Amino acid sequence: MISALRTLFLLIQKYLGSFSHSQISHHHLQLSTSPLWILGKSYHLSGINTASSLPQQLDKVLVEFLLAFQSRIWFSYRTNFVPIEPSFYTSDFGWGCMIRSGQMMLAQALQMRWWGNDWTLNDEYPEQYFEILRNFADAPDAPFSVHRVAQLGLLKHNKRIGQWFGPSTIAVALHHLVEIHEDRCGLKIHVCQDGVVYVPQVNSLFRKKTTRARVDEQSSKSREKTTEEERVETEMETFHGAEDWSPTLLIFPLKLGLQQLNPIYLPALLETFSYPQSVGIIGGHKGSGYYFVAVQDQTLFFLDPHFLQPTVDMRPSRFPSQSFHYPTPKSLPARFLDPSLAIGMYCHTREDFEDCCQRIQKSSDVHPDSAVIYVSKDNIEPYTLLPSNVPDITQNFDDNLICVEEETFVRL
């Protein structure tokens, strides 16, 4: 029976490998002078080019771009892993594409966390490379495995195991898994609901409790006549010195239209790929999830998780990793992108965060009626995404835990 199912999987995979939606193509990158942007890096012609040297220089640009694309970590459907309890699923085939896309975005942030955005497959493989992959192993004890994401979806989001995730749900799920394993991964995730990054909310991620208590004590003793605004400013100044920054992944879940993406948002949306902090977009097309990492003009390039592969044993210190790199870009005209998506920005330092906020503000100034993300200095109450005491989901299946439905602010 198992052998028959495996054969069926392989036959379906063979069929899927030759099938694509009409708008999706295995893109042969064109000889164009338009810049290719991939996660904040531009590949384009520079200097003065003669007609005779142009084709050779374009070829060089495309080779460099393809190497950068192939060096991104790719996660796809896997089969023959340990069942995802309490179900009997041993594969995420047919339902895990958005989970895999979210994993890819987080993996890219971890790559940038540990060695920046310049590492390629031509370089020596650092030990941290294999450690990053182990975080996403298809095993119940891996911090960001499909097992843990699916179980968190069951516990917190009323998602049956085997049910498709949306971009907003996977963003929140990854936020809480990273919160549990922050010491191991060395970064934080902040979900910017409604497409707005509230600077005080982000700052509050790094406020130590002792510092907050000291500020409150000072306020009560000697600043009775101080306005609320002045008290907040004092708070900000005080906790900056306590724990100023930790590497942080900002995720902006958005819905840019109802049934279709409103084209008015495309210029500002595609512009985000040029931000140095960009870790791409998780989104979809006709109900399938993808990880979009690059753009040229109005064409998006993405890593496609819809390939079924055997599970890799990651217990050795080094293991075969060829199946974690996608060989050929696929492309999609940006106008066919589904309206539900999530933009990622990785800020390694506070200076990165401030630069990112400046770029967001500039974009909203340039596109006053069609910006996709915003920055605000208002001090508002943060969203309660989930209870703060998230349990160890490999140990506890409590039927009384609160479920959170996916809700994303819709821009028409």
Side-chain angles (χ1 to χ4, degrees), residues 52-87:
S52 60
S53 67
L54 187 61
Q56 292 83 359
Q57 292 187 49
L58 283 169
D59 281 341
K60 181 176 182 294
V61 169
L62 296 184
V63 168
E64 292 174 349
F65 171 81
L66 284 172
L67 178 60
F69 180 90
Q70 293 165 356
S71 300
R72 301 311 101 206
I73 290 177
W74 171 47
F75 295 118
S76 70
Y77 292 149
R78 296 284 174 169
T79 187
N80 294 333
F81 51 63
V82 175
I84 303 174
E85 295 182 355
S87 76

PDB file of all heavy atoms in Angstrom, residues 52-87:
ATOM      1  N   SER A  52      29.063  46.453 -29.448  1.00  0.00           N
ATOM      2  CA  SER A  52      29.708  45.143 -29.565  1.00  0.00           C
ATOM      3  C   SER A  52      29.878  44.456 -28.216  1.00  0.00           C
ATOM      4  O   SER A  52      29.844  43.230 -28.125  1.00  0.00           O
ATOM      5  CB  SER A  52      31.073  45.306 -30.240  1.00  0.00           C
ATOM      6  OG  SER A  52      31.897  46.170 -29.466  1.00  0.00           O
ATOM      7  N   SER A  53      30.054  45.233 -27.141  1.00  0.00           N
ATOM      8  CA  SER A  53      30.285  44.627 -25.831  1.00  0.00           C
ATOM      9  C   SER A  53      29.007  44.373 -25.048  1.00  0.00           C
ATOM     10  O   SER A  53      29.027  43.665 -24.043  1.00  0.00           O
ATOM     11  CB  SER A  53      31.203  45.523 -24.996  1.00  0.00           C
ATOM     12  OG  SER A  53      30.552  46.746 -24.679  1.00  0.00           O
ATOM     13  N   LEU A  54      27.883  44.949 -25.504  1.00  0.00           N
ATOM     14  CA  LEU A  54      26.635  44.852 -24.739  1.00  0.00           C
ATOM     15  C   LEU A  54      26.190  43.417 -24.495  1.00  0.00           C
ATOM     16  O   LEU A  54      25.865  43.053 -23.362  1.00  0.00           O
ATOM     17  CB  LEU A  54      25.534  45.655 -25.440  1.00  0.00           C
ATOM     18  CG  LEU A  54      24.215  45.787 -24.679  1.00  0.00           C
ATOM     19  CD1 LEU A  54      24.420  46.495 -23.351  1.00  0.00           C
ATOM     20  CD2 LEU A  54      23.193  46.553 -25.523  1.00  0.00           C
ATOM     21  N   PRO A  55      26.139  42.540 -25.520  1.00  0.00           N
ATOM     22  CA  PRO A  55      25.672  41.163 -25.265  1.00  0.00           C
ATOM     23  C   PRO A  55      26.521  40.435 -24.232  1.00  0.00           C
ATOM     24  O   PRO A  55      25.987  39.741 -23.360  1.00  0.00           O
ATOM     25  CB  PRO A  55      25.782  40.496 -26.650  1.00  0.00           C
ATOM     26  CG  PRO A  55      25.699  41.620 -27.617  1.00  0.00           C
ATOM     27  CD  PRO A  55      26.399  42.774 -26.951  1.00  0.00           C
ATOM     28  N   GLN A  56      27.864  40.596 -24.295  1.00  0.00           N
ATOM     29  CA  GLN A  56      28.727  39.908 -23.340  1.00  0.00           C
ATOM     30  C   GLN A  56      28.498  40.421 -21.921  1.00  0.00           C
ATOM     31  O   GLN A  56      28.476  39.641 -20.959  1.00  0.00           O
ATOM     32  CB  GLN A  56      30.203  40.093 -23.732  1.00  0.00           C
ATOM     33  CG  GLN A  56      30.607  39.379 -25.022  1.00  0.00           C
ATOM     34  CD  GLN A  56      30.257  40.174 -26.269  1.00  0.00           C
ATOM     35  OE1 GLN A  56      29.688  41.259 -26.170  1.00  0.00           O
ATOM     36  NE2 GLN A  56      30.578  39.621 -27.430  1.00  0.00           N
ATOM     37  N   GLN A  57      28.312  41.736 -21.784  1.00  0.00           N
ATOM     38  CA  GLN A  57      28.085  42.287 -20.459  1.00  0.00           C
ATOM     39  C   GLN A  57      26.731  41.859 -19.903  1.00  0.00           C
ATOM     40  O   GLN A  57      26.595  41.598 -18.712  1.00  0.00           O
ATOM     41  CB  GLN A  57      28.184  43.815 -20.511  1.00  0.00           C
ATOM     42  CG  GLN A  57      29.590  44.309 -20.805  1.00  0.00           C
ATOM     43  CD  GLN A  57      29.710  45.811 -20.691  1.00  0.00           C
ATOM     44  OE1 GLN A  57      29.271  46.386 -19.710  1.00  0.00           O
ATOM     45  NE2 GLN A  57      30.313  46.436 -21.690  1.00  0.00           N
ATOM     46  N   LEU A  58      25.728  41.776 -20.777  1.00  0.00           N
ATOM     47  CA  LEU A  58      24.422  41.307 -20.334  1.00  0.00           C
ATOM     48  C   LEU A  58      24.488  39.860 -19.883  1.00  0.00           C
ATOM     49  O   LEU A  58      23.884  39.478 -18.884  1.00  0.00           O
ATOM     50  CB  LEU A  58      23.388  41.476 -21.451  1.00  0.00           C
ATOM     51  CG  LEU A  58      22.874  42.901 -21.675  1.00  0.00           C
ATOM     52  CD1 LEU A  58      22.060  42.986 -22.964  1.00  0.00           C
ATOM     53  CD2 LEU A  58      22.019  43.368 -20.508  1.00  0.00           C
ATOM     54  N   ASP A  59      25.227  39.043 -20.629  1.00  0.00           N
ATOM     55  CA  ASP A  59      25.392  37.642 -20.234  1.00  0.00           C
ATOM     56  C   ASP A  59      26.037  37.543 -18.856  1.00  0.00           C
ATOM     57  O   ASP A  59      25.633  36.729 -18.024  1.00  0.00           O
ATOM     58  CB  ASP A  59      26.261  36.902 -21.266  1.00  0.00           C
ATOM     59  CG  ASP A  59      25.473  36.511 -22.503  1.00  0.00           C
ATOM     60  OD1 ASP A  59      24.224  36.480 -22.423  1.00  0.00           O
ATOM     61  OD2 ASP A  59      26.100  36.259 -23.545  1.00  0.00           O
ATOM     62  N   LYS A  60      27.025  38.371 -18.598  1.00  0.00           N
ATOM     63  CA  LYS A  60      27.697  38.365 -17.308  1.00  0.00           C
ATOM     64  C   LYS A  60      26.724  38.743 -16.192  1.00  0.00           C
ATOM     65  O   LYS A  60      26.703  38.114 -15.124  1.00  0.00           O
ATOM     66  CB  LYS A  60      28.883  39.331 -17.332  1.00  0.00           C
ATOM     67  CG  LYS A  60      29.684  39.387 -16.035  1.00  0.00           C
ATOM     68  CD  LYS A  60      30.899  40.286 -16.192  1.00  0.00           C
ATOM     69  CE  LYS A  60      31.748  40.314 -14.925  1.00  0.00           C
ATOM     70  NZ  LYS A  60      31.047  40.945 -13.795  1.00  0.00           N
ATOM     71  N   VAL A  61      25.886  39.754 -16.438  1.00  0.00           N
ATOM     72  CA  VAL A  61      24.893  40.168 -15.453  1.00  0.00           C
ATOM     73  C   VAL A  61      23.923  39.029 -15.152  1.00  0.00           C
ATOM     74  O   VAL A  61      23.592  38.749 -13.986  1.00  0.00           O
ATOM     75  CB  VAL A  61      24.130  41.414 -15.939  1.00  0.00           C
ATOM     76  CG1 VAL A  61      22.914  41.688 -15.059  1.00  0.00           C
ATOM     77  CG2 VAL A  61      25.043  42.627 -15.958  1.00  0.00           C
ATOM     78  N   LEU A  62      23.476  38.340 -16.196  1.00  0.00           N
ATOM     79  CA  LEU A  62      22.513  37.255 -16.003  1.00  0.00           C
ATOM     80  C   LEU A  62      23.134  36.093 -15.236  1.00  0.00           C
ATOM     81  O   LEU A  62      22.480  35.475 -14.397  1.00  0.00           O
ATOM     82  CB  LEU A  62      21.985  36.775 -17.358  1.00  0.00           C
ATOM     83  CG  LEU A  62      21.178  37.797 -18.162  1.00  0.00           C
ATOM     84  CD1 LEU A  62      20.637  37.157 -19.441  1.00  0.00           C
ATOM     85  CD2 LEU A  62      20.043  38.370 -17.346  1.00  0.00           C
ATOM     86  N   VAL A  63      24.387  35.780 -15.516  1.00  0.00           N
ATOM     87  CA  VAL A  63      25.063  34.695 -14.795  1.00  0.00           C
ATOM     88  C   VAL A  63      25.164  35.038 -13.311  1.00  0.00           C
ATOM     89  O   VAL A  63      24.906  34.201 -12.437  1.00  0.00           O
ATOM     90  CB  VAL A  63      26.459  34.431 -15.398  1.00  0.00           C
ATOM     91  CG1 VAL A  63      27.283  33.529 -14.486  1.00  0.00           C
ATOM     92  CG2 VAL A  63      26.326  33.793 -16.772  1.00  0.00           C
ATOM     93  N   GLU A  64      25.530  36.285 -13.006  1.00  0.00           N
ATOM     94  CA  GLU A  64      25.631  36.706 -11.608  1.00  0.00           C
ATOM     95  C   GLU A  64      24.271  36.657 -10.924  1.00  0.00           C
ATOM     96  O   GLU A  64      24.156  36.234  -9.770  1.00  0.00           O
ATOM     97  CB  GLU A  64      26.213  38.121 -11.543  1.00  0.00           C
ATOM     98  CG  GLU A  64      27.677  38.200 -11.966  1.00  0.00           C
ATOM     99  CD  GLU A  64      28.174  39.634 -12.028  1.00  0.00           C
ATOM    100  OE1 GLU A  64      27.322  40.564 -11.955  1.00  0.00           O
ATOM    101  OE2 GLU A  64      29.398  39.840 -12.151  1.00  0.00           O
ATOM    102  N   PHE A  65      23.235  37.083 -11.643  1.00  0.00           N
ATOM    103  CA  PHE A  65      21.886  37.045 -11.071  1.00  0.00           C
ATOM    104  C   PHE A  65      21.449  35.611 -10.795  1.00  0.00           C
ATOM    105  O   PHE A  65      20.899  35.310  -9.728  1.00  0.00           O
ATOM    106  CB  PHE A  65      20.894  37.723 -12.010  1.00  0.00           C
ATOM    107  CG  PHE A  65      19.458  37.541 -11.601  1.00  0.00           C
ATOM    108  CD1 PHE A  65      18.890  38.334 -10.606  1.00  0.00           C
ATOM    109  CD2 PHE A  65      18.669  36.555 -12.187  1.00  0.00           C
ATOM    110  CE1 PHE A  65      17.568  38.156 -10.219  1.00  0.00           C
ATOM    111  CE2 PHE A  65      17.354  36.368 -11.794  1.00  0.00           C
ATOM    112  CZ  PHE A  65      16.803  37.174 -10.812  1.00  0.00           C
ATOM    113  N   LEU A  66      21.677  34.724 -11.746  1.00  0.00           N
ATOM    114  CA  LEU A  66      21.266  33.327 -11.574  1.00  0.00           C
ATOM    115  C   LEU A  66      21.987  32.691 -10.391  1.00  0.00           C
ATOM    116  O   LEU A  66      21.395  31.913  -9.642  1.00  0.00           O
ATOM    117  CB  LEU A  66      21.530  32.534 -12.852  1.00  0.00           C
ATOM    118  CG  LEU A  66      20.537  32.775 -13.990  1.00  0.00           C
ATOM    119  CD1 LEU A  66      21.016  32.083 -15.262  1.00  0.00           C
ATOM    120  CD2 LEU A  66      19.153  32.281 -13.618  1.00  0.00           C
ATOM    121  N   LEU A  67      23.265  33.025 -10.198  1.00  0.00           N
ATOM    122  CA  LEU A  67      23.994  32.480  -9.057  1.00  0.00           C
ATOM    123  C   LEU A  67      23.383  32.989  -7.755  1.00  0.00           C
ATOM    124  O   LEU A  67      23.213  32.220  -6.792  1.00  0.00           O
ATOM    125  CB  LEU A  67      25.467  32.870  -9.137  1.00  0.00           C
ATOM    126  CG  LEU A  67      26.348  32.402  -7.974  1.00  0.00           C
ATOM    127  CD1 LEU A  67      26.336  30.877  -7.854  1.00  0.00           C
ATOM    128  CD2 LEU A  67      27.780  32.919  -8.136  1.00  0.00           C
ATOM    129  N   ALA A  68      23.034  34.275  -7.722  1.00  0.00           N
ATOM    130  CA  ALA A  68      22.398  34.825  -6.517  1.00  0.00           C
ATOM    131  C   ALA A  68      21.049  34.166  -6.273  1.00  0.00           C
ATOM    132  O   ALA A  68      20.695  33.846  -5.125  1.00  0.00           O
ATOM    133  CB  ALA A  68      22.224  36.334  -6.671  1.00  0.00           C
ATOM    134  N   PHE A  69      20.298  33.916  -7.335  1.00  0.00           N
ATOM    135  CA  PHE A  69      18.986  33.268  -7.195  1.00  0.00           C
ATOM    136  C   PHE A  69      19.146  31.839  -6.678  1.00  0.00           C
ATOM    137  O   PHE A  69      18.456  31.424  -5.744  1.00  0.00           O
ATOM    138  CB  PHE A  69      18.265  33.268  -8.550  1.00  0.00           C
ATOM    139  CG  PHE A  69      16.903  32.625  -8.517  1.00  0.00           C
ATOM    140  CD1 PHE A  69      15.774  33.373  -8.230  1.00  0.00           C
ATOM    141  CD2 PHE A  69      16.754  31.263  -8.759  1.00  0.00           C
ATOM    142  CE1 PHE A  69      14.526  32.787  -8.187  1.00  0.00           C
ATOM    143  CE2 PHE A  69      15.512  30.666  -8.714  1.00  0.00           C
ATOM    144  CZ  PHE A  69      14.385  31.427  -8.427  1.00  0.00           C
ATOM    145  N   GLN A  70      20.049  31.092  -7.267  1.00  0.00           N
ATOM    146  CA  GLN A  70      20.233  29.693  -6.881  1.00  0.00           C
ATOM    147  C   GLN A  70      20.807  29.548  -5.474  1.00  0.00           C
ATOM    148  O   GLN A  70      20.681  28.490  -4.861  1.00  0.00           O
ATOM    149  CB  GLN A  70      21.148  28.999  -7.896  1.00  0.00           C
ATOM    150  CG  GLN A  70      20.521  28.859  -9.270  1.00  0.00           C
ATOM    151  CD  GLN A  70      21.533  28.520 -10.351  1.00  0.00           C
ATOM    152  OE1 GLN A  70      22.730  28.462 -10.101  1.00  0.00           O
ATOM    153  NE2 GLN A  70      21.052  28.321 -11.575  1.00  0.00           N
ATOM    154  N   SER A  71      21.383  30.604  -4.932  1.00  0.00           N
ATOM    155  CA  SER A  71      21.972  30.550  -3.594  1.00  0.00           C
ATOM    156  C   SER A  71      20.947  30.766  -2.491  1.00  0.00           C
ATOM    157  O   SER A  71      21.267  30.595  -1.314  1.00  0.00           O
ATOM    158  CB  SER A  71      23.093  31.596  -3.476  1.00  0.00           C
ATOM    159  OG  SER A  71      24.109  31.351  -4.426  1.00  0.00           O
ATOM    160  N   ARG A  72      19.723  31.127  -2.846  1.00  0.00           N
ATOM    161  CA  ARG A  72      18.662  31.241  -1.829  1.00  0.00           C
ATOM    162  C   ARG A  72      18.263  29.836  -1.384  1.00  0.00           C
ATOM    163  O   ARG A  72      18.220  28.894  -2.183  1.00  0.00           O
ATOM    164  CB  ARG A  72      17.422  31.944  -2.376  1.00  0.00           C
ATOM    165  CG  ARG A  72      17.597  33.370  -2.915  1.00  0.00           C
ATOM    166  CD  ARG A  72      18.342  34.251  -1.978  1.00  0.00           C
ATOM    167  NE  ARG A  72      19.728  34.401  -2.387  1.00  0.00           N
ATOM    168  CZ  ARG A  72      20.734  34.690  -1.577  1.00  0.00           C
ATOM    169  NH1 ARG A  72      20.537  34.826  -0.289  1.00  0.00           N
ATOM    170  NH2 ARG A  72      21.954  34.809  -2.051  1.00  0.00           N
ATOM    171  N   ILE A  73      17.935  29.695  -0.124  1.00  0.00           N
ATOM    172  CA  ILE A  73      17.481  28.398   0.394  1.00  0.00           C
ATOM    173  C   ILE A  73      16.059  28.141  -0.085  1.00  0.00           C
ATOM    174  O   ILE A  73      15.186  29.012   0.014  1.00  0.00           O
ATOM    175  CB  ILE A  73      17.568  28.364   1.919  1.00  0.00           C
ATOM    176  CG1 ILE A  73      19.048  28.344   2.364  1.00  0.00           C
ATOM    177  CG2 ILE A  73      16.836  27.148   2.493  1.00  0.00           C
ATOM    178  CD1 ILE A  73      19.246  28.378   3.858  1.00  0.00           C
ATOM    179  N   TRP A  74      15.829  26.941  -0.597  1.00  0.00           N
ATOM    180  CA  TRP A  74      14.546  26.554  -1.177  1.00  0.00           C
ATOM    181  C   TRP A  74      13.955  25.397  -0.374  1.00  0.00           C
ATOM    182  O   TRP A  74      14.620  24.389  -0.124  1.00  0.00           O
ATOM    183  CB  TRP A  74      14.771  26.122  -2.630  1.00  0.00           C
ATOM    184  CG  TRP A  74      13.605  25.488  -3.316  1.00  0.00           C
ATOM    185  CD1 TRP A  74      12.308  25.926  -3.340  1.00  0.00           C
ATOM    186  CD2 TRP A  74      13.636  24.294  -4.124  1.00  0.00           C
ATOM    187  NE1 TRP A  74      11.524  25.088  -4.101  1.00  0.00           N
ATOM    188  CE2 TRP A  74      12.313  24.080  -4.603  1.00  0.00           C
ATOM    189  CE3 TRP A  74      14.632  23.396  -4.494  1.00  0.00           C
ATOM    190  CZ2 TRP A  74      11.983  23.002  -5.427  1.00  0.00           C
ATOM    191  CZ3 TRP A  74      14.300  22.332  -5.315  1.00  0.00           C
ATOM    192  CH2 TRP A  74      12.992  22.140  -5.774  1.00  0.00           C
ATOM    193  N   PHE A  75      12.718  25.561   0.041  1.00  0.00           N
ATOM    194  CA  PHE A  75      11.988  24.475   0.687  1.00  0.00           C
ATOM    195  C   PHE A  75      10.804  24.089  -0.194  1.00  0.00           C
ATOM    196  O   PHE A  75      10.114  24.952  -0.749  1.00  0.00           O
ATOM    197  CB  PHE A  75      11.492  24.888   2.077  1.00  0.00           C
ATOM    198  CG  PHE A  75      12.597  25.164   3.050  1.00  0.00           C
ATOM    199  CD1 PHE A  75      12.762  26.425   3.609  1.00  0.00           C
ATOM    200  CD2 PHE A  75      13.493  24.169   3.410  1.00  0.00           C
ATOM    201  CE1 PHE A  75      13.780  26.689   4.499  1.00  0.00           C
ATOM    202  CE2 PHE A  75      14.525  24.420   4.303  1.00  0.00           C
ATOM    203  CZ  PHE A  75      14.669  25.687   4.847  1.00  0.00           C
ATOM    204  N   SER A  76      10.568  22.802  -0.283  1.00  0.00           N
ATOM    205  CA  SER A  76       9.482  22.296  -1.124  1.00  0.00           C
ATOM    206  C   SER A  76       8.727  21.193  -0.378  1.00  0.00           C
ATOM    207  O   SER A  76       9.099  20.813   0.733  1.00  0.00           O
ATOM    208  CB  SER A  76      10.043  21.754  -2.448  1.00  0.00           C
ATOM    209  OG  SER A  76      10.779  20.559  -2.212  1.00  0.00           O
ATOM    210  N   TYR A  77       7.665  20.698  -1.014  1.00  0.00           N
ATOM    211  CA  TYR A  77       6.965  19.553  -0.448  1.00  0.00           C
ATOM    212  C   TYR A  77       7.959  18.419  -0.163  1.00  0.00           C
ATOM    213  O   TYR A  77       8.874  18.170  -0.954  1.00  0.00           O
ATOM    214  CB  TYR A  77       5.942  19.002  -1.447  1.00  0.00           C
ATOM    215  CG  TYR A  77       4.755  19.883  -1.741  1.00  0.00           C
ATOM    216  CD1 TYR A  77       4.159  19.828  -3.013  1.00  0.00           C
ATOM    217  CD2 TYR A  77       4.197  20.722  -0.793  1.00  0.00           C
ATOM    218  CE1 TYR A  77       3.047  20.594  -3.308  1.00  0.00           C
ATOM    219  CE2 TYR A  77       3.087  21.491  -1.082  1.00  0.00           C
ATOM    220  CZ  TYR A  77       2.514  21.436  -2.343  1.00  0.00           C
ATOM    221  OH  TYR A  77       1.416  22.199  -2.644  1.00  0.00           O
ATOM    222  N   ARG A  78       7.750  17.731   0.935  1.00  0.00           N
ATOM    223  CA  ARG A  78       8.567  16.559   1.263  1.00  0.00           C
ATOM    224  C   ARG A  78       7.653  15.395   1.611  1.00  0.00           C
ATOM    225  O   ARG A  78       6.490  15.587   2.017  1.00  0.00           O
ATOM    226  CB  ARG A  78       9.502  16.856   2.438  1.00  0.00           C
ATOM    227  CG  ARG A  78      10.543  17.940   2.160  1.00  0.00           C
ATOM    228  CD  ARG A  78      11.688  17.455   1.304  1.00  0.00           C
ATOM    229  NE  ARG A  78      12.598  18.536   0.936  1.00  0.00           N
ATOM    230  CZ  ARG A  78      13.788  18.360   0.369  1.00  0.00           C
ATOM    231  NH1 ARG A  78      14.222  17.125   0.103  1.00  0.00           N
ATOM    232  NH2 ARG A  78      14.547  19.393   0.058  1.00  0.00           N
ATOM    233  N   THR A  79       8.171  14.204   1.473  1.00  0.00           N
ATOM    234  CA  THR A  79       7.400  13.003   1.780  1.00  0.00           C
ATOM    235  C   THR A  79       8.223  12.048   2.632  1.00  0.00           C
ATOM    236  O   THR A  79       9.445  12.165   2.718  1.00  0.00           O
ATOM    237  CB  THR A  79       6.953  12.290   0.483  1.00  0.00           C
ATOM    238  OG1 THR A  79       6.066  11.219   0.809  1.00  0.00           O
ATOM    239  CG2 THR A  79       8.139  11.755  -0.295  1.00  0.00           C
ATOM    240  N   ASN A  80       7.519  11.129   3.279  1.00  0.00           N
ATOM    241  CA  ASN A  80       8.135  10.099   4.126  1.00  0.00           C
ATOM    242  C   ASN A  80       8.776  10.673   5.378  1.00  0.00           C
ATOM    243  O   ASN A  80       9.795  10.177   5.854  1.00  0.00           O
ATOM    244  CB  ASN A  80       9.176   9.278   3.340  1.00  0.00           C
ATOM    245  CG  ASN A  80       8.543   8.460   2.240  1.00  0.00           C
ATOM    246  OD1 ASN A  80       7.378   8.083   2.325  1.00  0.00           O
ATOM    247  ND2 ASN A  80       9.302   8.209   1.182  1.00  0.00           N
ATOM    248  N   PHE A  81       8.200  11.745   5.931  1.00  0.00           N
ATOM    249  CA  PHE A  81       8.688  12.194   7.228  1.00  0.00           C
ATOM    250  C   PHE A  81       7.818  11.628   8.341  1.00  0.00           C
ATOM    251  O   PHE A  81       6.774  11.000   8.089  1.00  0.00           O
ATOM    252  CB  PHE A  81       8.794  13.725   7.311  1.00  0.00           C
ATOM    253  CG  PHE A  81       7.559  14.512   6.897  1.00  0.00           C
ATOM    254  CD1 PHE A  81       6.361  14.412   7.585  1.00  0.00           C
ATOM    255  CD2 PHE A  81       7.629  15.398   5.828  1.00  0.00           C
ATOM    256  CE1 PHE A  81       5.247  15.169   7.228  1.00  0.00           C
ATOM    257  CE2 PHE A  81       6.525  16.162   5.456  1.00  0.00           C
ATOM    258  CZ  PHE A  81       5.328  16.045   6.158  1.00  0.00           C
ATOM    259  N   VAL A  82       8.250  11.801   9.576  1.00  0.00           N
ATOM    260  CA  VAL A  82       7.503  11.327  10.742  1.00  0.00           C
ATOM    261  C   VAL A  82       6.115  11.974  10.729  1.00  0.00           C
ATOM    262  O   VAL A  82       5.989  13.169  10.432  1.00  0.00           O
ATOM    263  CB  VAL A  82       8.254  11.687  12.039  1.00  0.00           C
ATOM    264  CG1 VAL A  82       7.433  11.309  13.262  1.00  0.00           C
ATOM    265  CG2 VAL A  82       9.608  10.996  12.067  1.00  0.00           C
ATOM    266  N   PRO A  83       5.051  11.229  11.028  1.00  0.00           N
ATOM    267  CA  PRO A  83       3.701  11.810  10.983  1.00  0.00           C
ATOM    268  C   PRO A  83       3.574  13.065  11.844  1.00  0.00           C
ATOM    269  O   PRO A  83       4.182  13.172  12.909  1.00  0.00           O
ATOM    270  CB  PRO A  83       2.821  10.676  11.521  1.00  0.00           C
ATOM    271  CG  PRO A  83       3.570   9.429  11.217  1.00  0.00           C
ATOM    272  CD  PRO A  83       5.019   9.789  11.374  1.00  0.00           C
ATOM    273  N   ILE A  84       2.771  14.003  11.349  1.00  0.00           N
ATOM    274  CA  ILE A  84       2.499  15.232  12.098  1.00  0.00           C
ATOM    275  C   ILE A  84       1.369  14.933  13.077  1.00  0.00           C
ATOM    276  O   ILE A  84       0.206  14.833  12.693  1.00  0.00           O
ATOM    277  CB  ILE A  84       2.089  16.378  11.155  1.00  0.00           C
ATOM    278  CG1 ILE A  84       3.178  16.620  10.103  1.00  0.00           C
ATOM    279  CG2 ILE A  84       1.825  17.653  11.954  1.00  0.00           C
ATOM    280  CD1 ILE A  84       2.791  17.639   9.042  1.00  0.00           C
ATOM    281  N   GLU A  85       1.721  14.753  14.334  1.00  0.00           N
ATOM    282  CA  GLU A  85       0.698  14.423  15.339  1.00  0.00           C
ATOM    283  C   GLU A  85      -0.217  15.622  15.586  1.00  0.00           C
ATOM    284  O   GLU A  85       0.218  16.773  15.487  1.00  0.00           O
ATOM    285  CB  GLU A  85       1.382  14.011  16.648  1.00  0.00           C
ATOM    286  CG  GLU A  85       2.183  12.726  16.515  1.00  0.00           C
ATOM    287  CD  GLU A  85       2.812  12.328  17.839  1.00  0.00           C
ATOM    288  OE1 GLU A  85       2.691  13.096  18.818  1.00  0.00           O
ATOM    289  OE2 GLU A  85       3.418  11.244  17.901  1.00  0.00           O
ATOM    290  N   PRO A  86      -1.488  15.399  15.851  1.00  0.00           N
ATOM    291  CA  PRO A  86      -2.145  14.106  16.057  1.00  0.00           C
ATOM    292  C   PRO A  86      -2.730  13.508  14.777  1.00  0.00           C
ATOM    293  O   PRO A  86      -3.632  12.674  14.835  1.00  0.00           O
ATOM    294  CB  PRO A  86      -3.255  14.465  17.038  1.00  0.00           C
ATOM    295  CG  PRO A  86      -3.632  15.857  16.653  1.00  0.00           C
ATOM    296  CD  PRO A  86      -2.367  16.521  16.221  1.00  0.00           C
ATOM    297  N   SER A  87      -2.224  13.919  13.594  1.00  0.00           N
ATOM    298  CA  SER A  87      -2.714  13.378  12.335  1.00  0.00           C
ATOM    299  C   SER A  87      -1.816  12.225  11.894  1.00  0.00           C
ATOM    300  O   SER A  87      -0.899  11.812  12.605  1.00  0.00           O
ATOM    301  CB  SER A  87      -2.726  14.462  11.257  1.00  0.00           C
ATOM    302  OG  SER A  87      -1.403  14.693  10.786  1.00  0.00           O
TER     303      SER A  87
END
